[in-house]
Amino acid sequence: MKEAALRVLVVDDDKAMRSSLMDLLKAAGHEVEALPRADQVVAKLPEMLPDVILSDVRMPGMSGLDLLAALPPDSPPLVLISAHGDIATAVQAMQDGAYSFVEKPYEPRRLLTILSHAGGQHRLHQRTERLKARLRDLSGLDKQFLGQSAATRAVREEVLTVSESPASVLLVGETGTGKDVIARALHDLGPDADGPFVALNCATLSAEGFEREMFGAEGAAQGRLAAADGGTLFLDEVCACPLPVQAMLLRVLEQREITPVGASQPRKLTFRVISATNEDPEAAVEAGQLRRDVLHRLNTIRLDLPTLRARRDDILMLFTRFTGEFARVYEVSLPDMGAEDMAALMGHDWPGNVRELRNVAERFVLMARRGQASVAAALKADHATQVPDTLREAVAAFERELIARALRAQSGRMDAVAEALGIGRRTLNEKIVKLGLDKDALL
């Protein structure tokens, strides 16, 4: 396998030697820049970002050993070369941090091998440091995907596990479970974190004008898909994507190329696909809402996000965190929560999940400004005013609440629940699964 080209900075005051080294390195396929003086190196580092520095030892002004001492932390490895090398100089150079020491006249193959190893190690070190930095920045995910329950920790571990993979990821979870947060985290922790993150709400797409909007047009602004090149394409609400649009998207997902309107040649694109749905994708396929070939392209890796009902141990901690944030925003002193507040929090089903909990927390803080803070009252007011973003979500929320009430009223007797709702037992079972209702938790 051909080795990756390195960026090598050559430092030598001898013009002929400098030229000879540059010719050797360029012939080996590396990118090379050269400087005649060592005191110019530090200023050049941010511009060139070399993988390795090759420097003569004895030069006017700053020597190679002086350069070694002057390099800032985390600088590329320094390989020293000299016609005046001796054991004492080599030992001193290695003790001071030089990667290696080569005597002139040098053997070209040996020099190239040393530089290749040094540069490769530096790139590996940089990659490791970037990963560590991203993991340290995971606090951004922690702040939005809070919790210490086993279900919450499992999601965060899965995010770390799959983030480095370029494979497509399908996020499945109810509205408000944090699919957009996880999608962004997968991008930020992935290999293309420096690239763009382009989100498309598939429920709003239409076949009319799709090609111009998504593919762009020759001589005009690029389309939305091209904007994701080198980064991540996030397809939200993918099960709500119109079937004609799915057919157009399928080719993009398979070929990773688009042909702008009016163009004669396709344009290749490179992006990772992350998709999300609040519906059961297999059920959507069976119902004819989602093409199976599209699903196969999207669910290389599937992450199921837990409902708030499935991680009740997190509810109190989340509510405390949210009320604390809103108390600072609204400059309110929060009252102590009583037993009734705790019971209201833990007894609610949270069909809107964390998003609903956050809304209730804000309403609780606003009530505290009037001296009337109560979780039960905040819940009641939130349900009276909360309107889902889409008709699909509104219908699902209405069905979820209606079925939950019937289950409680009939003490979980499924035949009686189905009869009370005016639907068949099989339909009831399918809706309970699709809506993510936990019968045991409701009772």
Side-chain angles (χ1 to χ4, degrees), residues 195-198 200 210-217 220-233 249 252 256-260 266-271:
F197 179 86
V198 175
L200 298 180
F210 178 86
E211 290 188 347
R212 181 172 292 273
E213 180 183 2
M214 294 296 128
F215 300 167
Q222 68 176 4
R224 297 176 68 183
L225 292 178
D229 193 24
T232 298
L233 177 65
L249 276 176
V252 178
R256 287 297 198 274
E257 67 178 25
I258 59 172
T259 303
R267 173 183 172 182
K268 283 289 184 182
L269 299 177
T270 301
F271 51 74

PDB file of all heavy atoms in Angstrom, residues 195-198 200 210-217 220-233 249 252 256-260 266-271:
ATOM      1  N   GLY A 195     -16.550  19.421   8.706  1.00  0.00           N
ATOM      2  CA  GLY A 195     -17.398  19.639   7.535  1.00  0.00           C
ATOM      3  C   GLY A 195     -18.764  20.161   7.917  1.00  0.00           C
ATOM      4  O   GLY A 195     -19.100  20.313   9.096  1.00  0.00           O
ATOM      5  N   PRO A 196     -19.622  20.426   6.939  1.00  0.00           N
ATOM      6  CA  PRO A 196     -20.953  20.991   7.206  1.00  0.00           C
ATOM      7  C   PRO A 196     -21.913  19.962   7.796  1.00  0.00           C
ATOM      8  O   PRO A 196     -21.740  18.750   7.617  1.00  0.00           O
ATOM      9  CB  PRO A 196     -21.425  21.445   5.821  1.00  0.00           C
ATOM     10  CG  PRO A 196     -20.691  20.551   4.867  1.00  0.00           C
ATOM     11  CD  PRO A 196     -19.350  20.288   5.489  1.00  0.00           C
ATOM     12  N   PHE A 197     -22.917  20.446   8.485  1.00  0.00           N
ATOM     13  CA  PHE A 197     -24.025  19.621   8.997  1.00  0.00           C
ATOM     14  C   PHE A 197     -25.291  20.201   8.394  1.00  0.00           C
ATOM     15  O   PHE A 197     -25.712  21.301   8.744  1.00  0.00           O
ATOM     16  CB  PHE A 197     -24.065  19.671  10.526  1.00  0.00           C
ATOM     17  CG  PHE A 197     -25.186  18.871  11.134  1.00  0.00           C
ATOM     18  CD1 PHE A 197     -25.026  17.514  11.394  1.00  0.00           C
ATOM     19  CD2 PHE A 197     -26.395  19.468  11.456  1.00  0.00           C
ATOM     20  CE1 PHE A 197     -26.056  16.772  11.962  1.00  0.00           C
ATOM     21  CE2 PHE A 197     -27.427  18.738  12.021  1.00  0.00           C
ATOM     22  CZ  PHE A 197     -27.256  17.383  12.274  1.00  0.00           C
ATOM     23  N   VAL A 198     -25.899  19.465   7.464  1.00  0.00           N
ATOM     24  CA  VAL A 198     -27.072  19.950   6.741  1.00  0.00           C
ATOM     25  C   VAL A 198     -28.274  19.104   7.143  1.00  0.00           C
ATOM     26  O   VAL A 198     -28.284  17.885   6.956  1.00  0.00           O
ATOM     27  CB  VAL A 198     -26.862  19.882   5.222  1.00  0.00           C
ATOM     28  CG1 VAL A 198     -28.134  20.283   4.485  1.00  0.00           C
ATOM     29  CG2 VAL A 198     -25.702  20.783   4.808  1.00  0.00           C
ATOM     30  N   LEU A 200     -32.343  18.238   6.816  1.00  0.00           N
ATOM     31  CA  LEU A 200     -33.527  18.339   5.963  1.00  0.00           C
ATOM     32  C   LEU A 200     -34.713  17.721   6.691  1.00  0.00           C
ATOM     33  O   LEU A 200     -34.625  16.585   7.166  1.00  0.00           O
ATOM     34  CB  LEU A 200     -33.310  17.589   4.642  1.00  0.00           C
ATOM     35  CG  LEU A 200     -32.189  18.065   3.715  1.00  0.00           C
ATOM     36  CD1 LEU A 200     -32.156  17.179   2.471  1.00  0.00           C
ATOM     37  CD2 LEU A 200     -32.386  19.515   3.321  1.00  0.00           C
ATOM     38  N   PHE A 210     -38.012  19.688  -6.579  1.00  0.00           N
ATOM     39  CA  PHE A 210     -37.038  18.999  -5.741  1.00  0.00           C
ATOM     40  C   PHE A 210     -35.636  19.059  -6.341  1.00  0.00           C
ATOM     41  O   PHE A 210     -34.670  19.350  -5.645  1.00  0.00           O
ATOM     42  CB  PHE A 210     -37.469  17.538  -5.544  1.00  0.00           C
ATOM     43  CG  PHE A 210     -36.501  16.732  -4.720  1.00  0.00           C
ATOM     44  CD1 PHE A 210     -36.580  16.723  -3.334  1.00  0.00           C
ATOM     45  CD2 PHE A 210     -35.511  15.980  -5.330  1.00  0.00           C
ATOM     46  CE1 PHE A 210     -35.692  15.982  -2.577  1.00  0.00           C
ATOM     47  CE2 PHE A 210     -34.613  15.233  -4.593  1.00  0.00           C
ATOM     48  CZ  PHE A 210     -34.706  15.234  -3.205  1.00  0.00           C
ATOM     49  N   GLU A 211     -35.528  18.775  -7.635  1.00  0.00           N
ATOM     50  CA  GLU A 211     -34.209  18.703  -8.243  1.00  0.00           C
ATOM     51  C   GLU A 211     -33.488  20.047  -8.171  1.00  0.00           C
ATOM     52  O   GLU A 211     -32.300  20.110  -7.855  1.00  0.00           O
ATOM     53  CB  GLU A 211     -34.319  18.239  -9.696  1.00  0.00           C
ATOM     54  CG  GLU A 211     -34.733  16.782  -9.819  1.00  0.00           C
ATOM     55  CD  GLU A 211     -34.644  16.294 -11.251  1.00  0.00           C
ATOM     56  OE1 GLU A 211     -34.500  17.155 -12.157  1.00  0.00           O
ATOM     57  OE2 GLU A 211     -34.724  15.074 -11.473  1.00  0.00           O
ATOM     58  N   ARG A 212     -34.179  21.129  -8.463  1.00  0.00           N
ATOM     59  CA  ARG A 212     -33.528  22.437  -8.426  1.00  0.00           C
ATOM     60  C   ARG A 212     -33.127  22.805  -7.007  1.00  0.00           C
ATOM     61  O   ARG A 212     -32.046  23.343  -6.772  1.00  0.00           O
ATOM     62  CB  ARG A 212     -34.455  23.504  -9.023  1.00  0.00           C
ATOM     63  CG  ARG A 212     -33.846  24.910  -9.050  1.00  0.00           C
ATOM     64  CD  ARG A 212     -34.727  25.867  -9.830  1.00  0.00           C
ATOM     65  NE  ARG A 212     -34.758  25.534 -11.250  1.00  0.00           N
ATOM     66  CZ  ARG A 212     -33.858  25.983 -12.127  1.00  0.00           C
ATOM     67  NH1 ARG A 212     -32.878  26.777 -11.733  1.00  0.00           N
ATOM     68  NH2 ARG A 212     -33.961  25.658 -13.407  1.00  0.00           N
ATOM     69  N   GLU A 213     -34.010  22.521  -6.046  1.00  0.00           N
ATOM     70  CA  GLU A 213     -33.707  22.882  -4.650  1.00  0.00           C
ATOM     71  C   GLU A 213     -32.595  22.010  -4.079  1.00  0.00           C
ATOM     72  O   GLU A 213     -31.694  22.502  -3.405  1.00  0.00           O
ATOM     73  CB  GLU A 213     -34.955  22.747  -3.782  1.00  0.00           C
ATOM     74  CG  GLU A 213     -34.703  23.106  -2.312  1.00  0.00           C
ATOM     75  CD  GLU A 213     -35.931  22.888  -1.444  1.00  0.00           C
ATOM     76  OE1 GLU A 213     -36.961  22.425  -1.965  1.00  0.00           O
ATOM     77  OE2 GLU A 213     -35.843  23.168  -0.229  1.00  0.00           O
ATOM     78  N   MET A 214     -32.640  20.708  -4.348  1.00  0.00           N
ATOM     79  CA  MET A 214     -31.689  19.776  -3.750  1.00  0.00           C
ATOM     80  C   MET A 214     -30.399  19.633  -4.559  1.00  0.00           C
ATOM     81  O   MET A 214     -29.321  19.526  -4.008  1.00  0.00           O
ATOM     82  CB  MET A 214     -32.342  18.390  -3.582  1.00  0.00           C
ATOM     83  CG  MET A 214     -33.474  18.361  -2.600  1.00  0.00           C
ATOM     84  SD  MET A 214     -32.942  18.746  -0.917  1.00  0.00           S
ATOM     85  CE  MET A 214     -34.108  20.036  -0.518  1.00  0.00           C
ATOM     86  N   PHE A 215     -30.539  19.610  -5.910  1.00  0.00           N
ATOM     87  CA  PHE A 215     -29.382  19.386  -6.771  1.00  0.00           C
ATOM     88  C   PHE A 215     -28.725  20.679  -7.229  1.00  0.00           C
ATOM     89  O   PHE A 215     -27.571  20.678  -7.652  1.00  0.00           O
ATOM     90  CB  PHE A 215     -29.766  18.565  -8.005  1.00  0.00           C
ATOM     91  CG  PHE A 215     -30.327  17.207  -7.694  1.00  0.00           C
ATOM     92  CD1 PHE A 215     -30.961  16.474  -8.677  1.00  0.00           C
ATOM     93  CD2 PHE A 215     -30.213  16.660  -6.423  1.00  0.00           C
ATOM     94  CE1 PHE A 215     -31.485  15.222  -8.407  1.00  0.00           C
ATOM     95  CE2 PHE A 215     -30.741  15.403  -6.142  1.00  0.00           C
ATOM     96  CZ  PHE A 215     -31.381  14.688  -7.130  1.00  0.00           C
ATOM     97  N   GLY A 216     -29.477  21.792  -7.194  1.00  0.00           N
ATOM     98  CA  GLY A 216     -28.942  23.044  -7.698  1.00  0.00           C
ATOM     99  C   GLY A 216     -29.099  23.129  -9.198  1.00  0.00           C
ATOM    100  O   GLY A 216     -29.667  22.244  -9.849  1.00  0.00           O
ATOM    101  N   ALA A 217     -28.595  24.204  -9.764  1.00  0.00           N
ATOM    102  CA  ALA A 217     -28.694  24.403 -11.209  1.00  0.00           C
ATOM    103  C   ALA A 217     -27.358  24.898 -11.744  1.00  0.00           C
ATOM    104  O   ALA A 217     -26.611  25.599 -11.045  1.00  0.00           O
ATOM    105  CB  ALA A 217     -29.799  25.410 -11.547  1.00  0.00           C
ATOM    106  N   ALA A 220     -25.841  28.460 -11.221  1.00  0.00           N
ATOM    107  CA  ALA A 220     -26.580  29.107 -10.129  1.00  0.00           C
ATOM    108  C   ALA A 220     -26.043  28.594  -8.796  1.00  0.00           C
ATOM    109  O   ALA A 220     -25.046  27.871  -8.730  1.00  0.00           O
ATOM    110  CB  ALA A 220     -28.079  28.822 -10.259  1.00  0.00           C
ATOM    111  N   ALA A 221     -26.700  28.988  -7.723  1.00  0.00           N
ATOM    112  CA  ALA A 221     -26.269  28.556  -6.401  1.00  0.00           C
ATOM    113  C   ALA A 221     -26.394  27.040  -6.285  1.00  0.00           C
ATOM    114  O   ALA A 221     -27.276  26.428  -6.877  1.00  0.00           O
ATOM    115  CB  ALA A 221     -27.115  29.234  -5.320  1.00  0.00           C
ATOM    116  N   GLN A 222     -25.490  26.431  -5.514  1.00  0.00           N
ATOM    117  CA  GLN A 222     -25.530  24.980  -5.353  1.00  0.00           C
ATOM    118  C   GLN A 222     -26.764  24.558  -4.554  1.00  0.00           C
ATOM    119  O   GLN A 222     -27.335  25.333  -3.791  1.00  0.00           O
ATOM    120  CB  GLN A 222     -24.270  24.486  -4.637  1.00  0.00           C
ATOM    121  CG  GLN A 222     -24.166  24.903  -3.180  1.00  0.00           C
ATOM    122  CD  GLN A 222     -22.949  24.290  -2.507  1.00  0.00           C
ATOM    123  OE1 GLN A 222     -22.136  23.617  -3.125  1.00  0.00           O
ATOM    124  NE2 GLN A 222     -22.801  24.524  -1.212  1.00  0.00           N
ATOM    125  N   GLY A 223     -27.176  23.321  -4.768  1.00  0.00           N
ATOM    126  CA  GLY A 223     -28.327  22.793  -4.056  1.00  0.00           C
ATOM    127  C   GLY A 223     -28.002  22.434  -2.623  1.00  0.00           C
ATOM    128  O   GLY A 223     -26.841  22.466  -2.195  1.00  0.00           O
ATOM    129  N   ARG A 224     -29.047  22.049  -1.886  1.00  0.00           N
ATOM    130  CA  ARG A 224     -28.880  21.765  -0.461  1.00  0.00           C
ATOM    131  C   ARG A 224     -28.081  20.494  -0.229  1.00  0.00           C
ATOM    132  O   ARG A 224     -27.377  20.373   0.781  1.00  0.00           O
ATOM    133  CB  ARG A 224     -30.244  21.681   0.210  1.00  0.00           C
ATOM    134  CG  ARG A 224     -31.003  23.002   0.150  1.00  0.00           C
ATOM    135  CD  ARG A 224     -32.392  22.888   0.742  1.00  0.00           C
ATOM    136  NE  ARG A 224     -32.358  22.679   2.187  1.00  0.00           N
ATOM    137  CZ  ARG A 224     -33.436  22.494   2.933  1.00  0.00           C
ATOM    138  NH1 ARG A 224     -34.632  22.461   2.353  1.00  0.00           N
ATOM    139  NH2 ARG A 224     -33.337  22.308   4.236  1.00  0.00           N
ATOM    140  N   LEU A 225     -28.166  19.529  -1.146  1.00  0.00           N
ATOM    141  CA  LEU A 225     -27.389  18.305  -0.980  1.00  0.00           C
ATOM    142  C   LEU A 225     -25.906  18.565  -1.186  1.00  0.00           C
ATOM    143  O   LEU A 225     -25.069  18.022  -0.475  1.00  0.00           O
ATOM    144  CB  LEU A 225     -27.881  17.228  -1.951  1.00  0.00           C
ATOM    145  CG  LEU A 225     -29.282  16.677  -1.680  1.00  0.00           C
ATOM    146  CD1 LEU A 225     -29.668  15.660  -2.745  1.00  0.00           C
ATOM    147  CD2 LEU A 225     -29.359  16.047  -0.301  1.00  0.00           C
ATOM    148  N   ALA A 226     -25.568  19.395  -2.147  1.00  0.00           N
ATOM    149  CA  ALA A 226     -24.163  19.727  -2.383  1.00  0.00           C
ATOM    150  C   ALA A 226     -23.569  20.450  -1.185  1.00  0.00           C
ATOM    151  O   ALA A 226     -22.374  20.350  -0.916  1.00  0.00           O
ATOM    152  CB  ALA A 226     -24.027  20.578  -3.642  1.00  0.00           C
ATOM    153  N   ALA A 227     -24.424  21.164  -0.446  1.00  0.00           N
ATOM    154  CA  ALA A 227     -23.937  21.888   0.733  1.00  0.00           C
ATOM    155  C   ALA A 227     -23.466  20.932   1.815  1.00  0.00           C
ATOM    156  O   ALA A 227     -22.709  21.328   2.717  1.00  0.00           O
ATOM    157  CB  ALA A 227     -25.037  22.799   1.285  1.00  0.00           C
ATOM    158  N   ALA A 228     -23.888  19.658   1.749  1.00  0.00           N
ATOM    159  CA  ALA A 228     -23.478  18.668   2.751  1.00  0.00           C
ATOM    160  C   ALA A 228     -22.183  17.968   2.373  1.00  0.00           C
ATOM    161  O   ALA A 228     -21.677  17.143   3.144  1.00  0.00           O
ATOM    162  CB  ALA A 228     -24.580  17.630   2.944  1.00  0.00           C
ATOM    163  N   ASP A 229     -21.627  18.267   1.212  1.00  0.00           N
ATOM    164  CA  ASP A 229     -20.414  17.595   0.743  1.00  0.00           C
ATOM    165  C   ASP A 229     -19.282  17.759   1.754  1.00  0.00           C
ATOM    166  O   ASP A 229     -18.974  18.861   2.191  1.00  0.00           O
ATOM    167  CB  ASP A 229     -19.994  18.174  -0.611  1.00  0.00           C
ATOM    168  CG  ASP A 229     -18.937  17.318  -1.302  1.00  0.00           C
ATOM    169  OD1 ASP A 229     -18.868  16.118  -0.995  1.00  0.00           O
ATOM    170  OD2 ASP A 229     -18.198  17.858  -2.144  1.00  0.00           O
ATOM    171  N   GLY A 230     -18.679  16.629   2.134  1.00  0.00           N
ATOM    172  CA  GLY A 230     -17.586  16.659   3.099  1.00  0.00           C
ATOM    173  C   GLY A 230     -18.041  16.672   4.543  1.00  0.00           C
ATOM    174  O   GLY A 230     -17.223  16.807   5.454  1.00  0.00           O
ATOM    175  N   GLY A 231     -19.360  16.501   4.762  1.00  0.00           N
ATOM    176  CA  GLY A 231     -19.869  16.555   6.128  1.00  0.00           C
ATOM    177  C   GLY A 231     -20.955  15.536   6.368  1.00  0.00           C
ATOM    178  O   GLY A 231     -20.811  14.355   6.017  1.00  0.00           O
ATOM    179  N   THR A 232     -22.065  16.000   6.936  1.00  0.00           N
ATOM    180  CA  THR A 232     -23.161  15.107   7.333  1.00  0.00           C
ATOM    181  C   THR A 232     -24.480  15.607   6.769  1.00  0.00           C
ATOM    182  O   THR A 232     -24.773  16.796   6.830  1.00  0.00           O
ATOM    183  CB  THR A 232     -23.271  15.035   8.872  1.00  0.00           C
ATOM    184  OG1 THR A 232     -22.059  14.493   9.413  1.00  0.00           O
ATOM    185  CG2 THR A 232     -24.442  14.163   9.300  1.00  0.00           C
ATOM    186  N   LEU A 233     -25.278  14.685   6.227  1.00  0.00           N
ATOM    187  CA  LEU A 233     -26.635  14.981   5.784  1.00  0.00           C
ATOM    188  C   LEU A 233     -27.588  14.344   6.788  1.00  0.00           C
ATOM    189  O   LEU A 233     -27.596  13.120   6.961  1.00  0.00           O
ATOM    190  CB  LEU A 233     -26.887  14.416   4.384  1.00  0.00           C
ATOM    191  CG  LEU A 233     -28.305  14.596   3.825  1.00  0.00           C
ATOM    192  CD1 LEU A 233     -28.622  16.066   3.619  1.00  0.00           C
ATOM    193  CD2 LEU A 233     -28.470  13.817   2.523  1.00  0.00           C
ATOM    194  N   LEU A 249     -34.410  10.508  -3.732  1.00  0.00           N
ATOM    195  CA  LEU A 249     -33.337  10.429  -2.734  1.00  0.00           C
ATOM    196  C   LEU A 249     -32.564   9.122  -2.842  1.00  0.00           C
ATOM    197  O   LEU A 249     -31.363   9.075  -2.552  1.00  0.00           O
ATOM    198  CB  LEU A 249     -33.912  10.555  -1.322  1.00  0.00           C
ATOM    199  CG  LEU A 249     -34.167  11.951  -0.776  1.00  0.00           C
ATOM    200  CD1 LEU A 249     -34.829  11.862   0.591  1.00  0.00           C
ATOM    201  CD2 LEU A 249     -32.880  12.752  -0.683  1.00  0.00           C
ATOM    202  N   VAL A 252     -29.450   9.223  -4.899  1.00  0.00           N
ATOM    203  CA  VAL A 252     -28.394   9.986  -4.224  1.00  0.00           C
ATOM    204  C   VAL A 252     -27.737   9.128  -3.150  1.00  0.00           C
ATOM    205  O   VAL A 252     -26.514   9.105  -3.005  1.00  0.00           O
ATOM    206  CB  VAL A 252     -28.967  11.272  -3.599  1.00  0.00           C
ATOM    207  CG1 VAL A 252     -27.878  12.030  -2.847  1.00  0.00           C
ATOM    208  CG2 VAL A 252     -29.587  12.151  -4.662  1.00  0.00           C
ATOM    209  N   ARG A 256     -24.261   8.490  -4.439  1.00  0.00           N
ATOM    210  CA  ARG A 256     -23.549   9.634  -3.854  1.00  0.00           C
ATOM    211  C   ARG A 256     -23.130  10.620  -4.949  1.00  0.00           C
ATOM    212  O   ARG A 256     -21.986  11.079  -5.021  1.00  0.00           O
ATOM    213  CB  ARG A 256     -22.299   9.181  -3.086  1.00  0.00           C
ATOM    214  CG  ARG A 256     -22.585   8.484  -1.760  1.00  0.00           C
ATOM    215  CD  ARG A 256     -23.289   9.405  -0.765  1.00  0.00           C
ATOM    216  NE  ARG A 256     -23.196   8.937   0.595  1.00  0.00           N
ATOM    217  CZ  ARG A 256     -24.012   8.074   1.182  1.00  0.00           C
ATOM    218  NH1 ARG A 256     -25.020   7.587   0.475  1.00  0.00           N
ATOM    219  NH2 ARG A 256     -23.844   7.710   2.429  1.00  0.00           N
ATOM    220  N   GLU A 257     -24.075  10.920  -5.825  1.00  0.00           N
ATOM    221  CA  GLU A 257     -23.819  11.902  -6.866  1.00  0.00           C
ATOM    222  C   GLU A 257     -25.123  12.586  -7.236  1.00  0.00           C
ATOM    223  O   GLU A 257     -26.211  12.038  -7.039  1.00  0.00           O
ATOM    224  CB  GLU A 257     -23.181  11.268  -8.101  1.00  0.00           C
ATOM    225  CG  GLU A 257     -24.077  10.316  -8.866  1.00  0.00           C
ATOM    226  CD  GLU A 257     -23.412   9.751 -10.108  1.00  0.00           C
ATOM    227  OE1 GLU A 257     -22.167   9.705 -10.134  1.00  0.00           O
ATOM    228  OE2 GLU A 257     -24.137   9.372 -11.053  1.00  0.00           O
ATOM    229  N   ILE A 258     -24.989  13.821  -7.754  1.00  0.00           N
ATOM    230  CA  ILE A 258     -26.145  14.579  -8.215  1.00  0.00           C
ATOM    231  C   ILE A 258     -25.807  15.197  -9.563  1.00  0.00           C
ATOM    232  O   ILE A 258     -24.635  15.387  -9.897  1.00  0.00           O
ATOM    233  CB  ILE A 258     -26.522  15.710  -7.222  1.00  0.00           C
ATOM    234  CG1 ILE A 258     -25.332  16.676  -7.047  1.00  0.00           C
ATOM    235  CG2 ILE A 258     -26.964  15.145  -5.884  1.00  0.00           C
ATOM    236  CD1 ILE A 258     -25.663  17.917  -6.251  1.00  0.00           C
ATOM    237  N   THR A 259     -26.832  15.500 -10.333  1.00  0.00           N
ATOM    238  CA  THR A 259     -26.646  16.222 -11.592  1.00  0.00           C
ATOM    239  C   THR A 259     -27.451  17.503 -11.507  1.00  0.00           C
ATOM    240  O   THR A 259     -28.695  17.468 -11.572  1.00  0.00           O
ATOM    241  CB  THR A 259     -27.108  15.383 -12.793  1.00  0.00           C
ATOM    242  OG1 THR A 259     -26.402  14.142 -12.819  1.00  0.00           O
ATOM    243  CG2 THR A 259     -26.856  16.141 -14.097  1.00  0.00           C
ATOM    244  N   PRO A 260     -26.792  18.640 -11.308  1.00  0.00           N
ATOM    245  CA  PRO A 260     -27.532  19.909 -11.230  1.00  0.00           C
ATOM    246  C   PRO A 260     -28.361  20.136 -12.490  1.00  0.00           C
ATOM    247  O   PRO A 260     -28.013  19.670 -13.584  1.00  0.00           O
ATOM    248  CB  PRO A 260     -26.411  20.952 -11.105  1.00  0.00           C
ATOM    249  CG  PRO A 260     -25.259  20.206 -10.514  1.00  0.00           C
ATOM    250  CD  PRO A 260     -25.349  18.817 -11.090  1.00  0.00           C
ATOM    251  N   PRO A 266     -22.572  14.512 -13.916  1.00  0.00           N
ATOM    252  CA  PRO A 266     -22.933  14.426 -12.491  1.00  0.00           C
ATOM    253  C   PRO A 266     -21.785  14.914 -11.616  1.00  0.00           C
ATOM    254  O   PRO A 266     -20.625  14.955 -12.044  1.00  0.00           O
ATOM    255  CB  PRO A 266     -23.198  12.938 -12.288  1.00  0.00           C
ATOM    256  CG  PRO A 266     -22.357  12.257 -13.314  1.00  0.00           C
ATOM    257  CD  PRO A 266     -22.359  13.180 -14.508  1.00  0.00           C
ATOM    258  N   ARG A 267     -22.126  15.277 -10.407  1.00  0.00           N
ATOM    259  CA  ARG A 267     -21.125  15.714  -9.438  1.00  0.00           C
ATOM    260  C   ARG A 267     -21.094  14.717  -8.290  1.00  0.00           C
ATOM    261  O   ARG A 267     -22.115  14.409  -7.695  1.00  0.00           O
ATOM    262  CB  ARG A 267     -21.460  17.102  -8.904  1.00  0.00           C
ATOM    263  CG  ARG A 267     -20.549  17.550  -7.764  1.00  0.00           C
ATOM    264  CD  ARG A 267     -20.955  18.884  -7.203  1.00  0.00           C
ATOM    265  NE  ARG A 267     -20.196  19.193  -5.996  1.00  0.00           N
ATOM    266  CZ  ARG A 267     -20.352  20.290  -5.258  1.00  0.00           C
ATOM    267  NH1 ARG A 267     -21.247  21.200  -5.622  1.00  0.00           N
ATOM    268  NH2 ARG A 267     -19.628  20.478  -4.171  1.00  0.00           N
ATOM    269  N   LYS A 268     -19.906  14.191  -7.998  1.00  0.00           N
ATOM    270  CA  LYS A 268     -19.747  13.244  -6.904  1.00  0.00           C
ATOM    271  C   LYS A 268     -19.779  13.990  -5.568  1.00  0.00           C
ATOM    272  O   LYS A 268     -19.222  15.079  -5.433  1.00  0.00           O
ATOM    273  CB  LYS A 268     -18.422  12.500  -7.029  1.00  0.00           C
ATOM    274  CG  LYS A 268     -18.416  11.399  -8.074  1.00  0.00           C
ATOM    275  CD  LYS A 268     -19.271  10.209  -7.623  1.00  0.00           C
ATOM    276  CE  LYS A 268     -19.197   9.055  -8.604  1.00  0.00           C
ATOM    277  NZ  LYS A 268     -20.071   7.925  -8.168  1.00  0.00           N
ATOM    278  N   LEU A 269     -20.431  13.384  -4.580  1.00  0.00           N
ATOM    279  CA  LEU A 269     -20.510  13.960  -3.243  1.00  0.00           C
ATOM    280  C   LEU A 269     -20.031  12.946  -2.211  1.00  0.00           C
ATOM    281  O   LEU A 269     -20.154  11.736  -2.406  1.00  0.00           O
ATOM    282  CB  LEU A 269     -21.955  14.360  -2.905  1.00  0.00           C
ATOM    283  CG  LEU A 269     -22.624  15.401  -3.803  1.00  0.00           C
ATOM    284  CD1 LEU A 269     -24.068  15.613  -3.345  1.00  0.00           C
ATOM    285  CD2 LEU A 269     -21.862  16.719  -3.769  1.00  0.00           C
ATOM    286  N   THR A 270     -19.496  13.462  -1.131  1.00  0.00           N
ATOM    287  CA  THR A 270     -19.084  12.611  -0.017  1.00  0.00           C
ATOM    288  C   THR A 270     -19.719  13.155   1.249  1.00  0.00           C
ATOM    289  O   THR A 270     -19.435  14.287   1.661  1.00  0.00           O
ATOM    290  CB  THR A 270     -17.551  12.610   0.138  1.00  0.00           C
ATOM    291  OG1 THR A 270     -16.951  12.148  -1.075  1.00  0.00           O
ATOM    292  CG2 THR A 270     -17.142  11.695   1.287  1.00  0.00           C
ATOM    293  N   PHE A 271     -20.620  12.396   1.831  1.00  0.00           N
ATOM    294  CA  PHE A 271     -21.218  12.811   3.095  1.00  0.00           C
ATOM    295  C   PHE A 271     -21.710  11.580   3.848  1.00  0.00           C
ATOM    296  O   PHE A 271     -21.980  10.530   3.264  1.00  0.00           O
ATOM    297  CB  PHE A 271     -22.374  13.797   2.895  1.00  0.00           C
ATOM    298  CG  PHE A 271     -23.420  13.360   1.912  1.00  0.00           C
ATOM    299  CD1 PHE A 271     -24.341  12.362   2.236  1.00  0.00           C
ATOM    300  CD2 PHE A 271     -23.500  13.951   0.663  1.00  0.00           C
ATOM    301  CE1 PHE A 271     -25.306  11.967   1.340  1.00  0.00           C
ATOM    302  CE2 PHE A 271     -24.474  13.553  -0.248  1.00  0.00           C
ATOM    303  CZ  PHE A 271     -25.382  12.562   0.089  1.00  0.00           C
TER     304      PHE A 271
END
